[in-house]
Amino acid sequence: MSKRVSLSLLDPYIGPRLASLYPRLSIPKWFPPEGIVAIGHLSAIAGAIGLGLSTTYWWGGVLGAIGITGNHIADCVDGRHARATGQCRNGGELLDHFTDPLSFTYWMIGLAVACGRLDLGLVAVTVLMAMAVLTNLRAKLTGEFSLAAFGPTEFKTLLVAFGVALSIIAYNWPANLLDVCFGGLATLTCVGVVLLPIQLFQSVREVNRSAVAADTSEWETTRRGQA
């Protein structure tokens, strides 16, 4: 199991406060942590729908912010529930890491739909998935799953603030909404395009300096039906 390290700027302030909500949620001990992951993913989908409607209805941005917040709360309590109830499973962690990047792609697609720029949304999704693959490969090669200073928590916080801002603008100055939405999506995409090569360079240097020996084994091929 990879060691988990967060270099996030906001995690020390947001993470413990959200995790402290766990006792108040009264989640039954029999409830599987994978169920919390599923609830968080459904919340992410609701957030994406809200962002997609943010230029049509004033409440769309609020729904987006609520959905993203709900997703992050679930992300903060699922592991604590698993540890508190003795339900830690590799499959649950796999499911968690599988759904996390998908949530981010949903939100970028929602913003792309809202401003009618699916081309820009495609770039944003490509960058997000590349970062997700890079993070998981680095964890496999170094034995440490690390989050950057500008990581998921920072990205979600920006999206929540942007969703609220879209609702305020939609309610008061709807004529400017499409331009604001496009500007937000373009800014997030540009940040990702800039950060990706930087993180790639740092990751290559990190895995080369890692104490883990390089894999020099050959591929083993078997015929279908043979173990």
Side-chain angles (χ1 to χ4, degrees):
M1 190 67 64
S2 299
K3 178 183 178 182
R4 289 175 289 185
V5 177
S6 175
L7 303 176
S8 167
L9 298 173
L10 295 179
D11 267 349
Y13 306 99
I14 295 178
R17 287 174 172 79
L18 293 182
S20 66
L21 295 175
Y22 173 69
R24 305 178 186 179
L25 296 177
S26 300
I27 303 174
K29 291 184 177 180
W30 56 263
F31 192 75
E34 291 85 354
I36 301 176
V37 174
I39 292 172
H41 197 61
L42 291 175
S43 184
I45 293 173
I49 293 172
L51 292 177
L53 297 174
S54 61
T55 53
T56 304
Y57 303 100
W58 72 265
W59 46 263
V62 173
L63 176 60
I66 293 173
I68 296 168
T69 301
N71 170 265
H72 197 53
I73 292 174
D75 205 28
C76 289
V77 304
D78 57 0
R80 183 167 180 181
H81 180 69
R83 291 186 291 273
T85 59
Q87 298 187 76
C88 294
R89 291 182 283 267
N90 289 336
E93 185 166 1
L94 184 149
L95 183 64
D96 190 17
H97 290 311
F98 173 74
T99 55
D100 279 345
L102 285 180
S103 299
F104 287 101
T105 61
Y106 297 160
W107 300 329
M108 292 300 97
I109 292 172
L111 288 177
V113 169
C115 64
R117 290 298 304 267
L118 294 180
D119 54 340
L120 190 57
L122 182 60
V123 175
V125 167
T126 301
V127 171
L128 280 170
M129 296 309 293
M131 285 187 169
V133 171
L134 179 61
T135 299
N136 283 284
L137 286 176
R138 185 177 64 234
K140 176 182 182 297
L141 293 172
T142 64
E144 179 178 289
F145 192 94
S146 59
L147 299 178
F150 186 88
T153 301
E154 287 73 22
F155 197 38
K156 290 178 184 180
T157 302
L158 279 179
L159 285 176
V160 168
F162 189 55
V164 173
L166 285 176
S167 286
I168 294 173
I169 295 171
Y171 193 80
N172 294 283
W173 310 283
N176 302 322
L177 199 56
L178 282 176
D179 291 338
V180 173
C181 185
F182 169 74
L185 177 60
T187 300
L188 290 172
T189 303
C190 288
V191 169
V193 169
V194 171
L195 288 179
L196 179 59
I198 295 174
Q199 292 190 9
L200 177 60
F201 174 78
Q202 292 175 339
S203 296
V204 170
R205 186 172 60 178
E206 182 181 349
V207 298
N208 283 337
R209 292 178 175 178
S210 171
V212 179
D215 185 1
T216 59
S217 62
E218 297 285 350
W219 281 94
E220 295 183 10
T221 58
T222 58
R223 293 181 180 179
R224 184 174 296 179
Q226 293 182 342

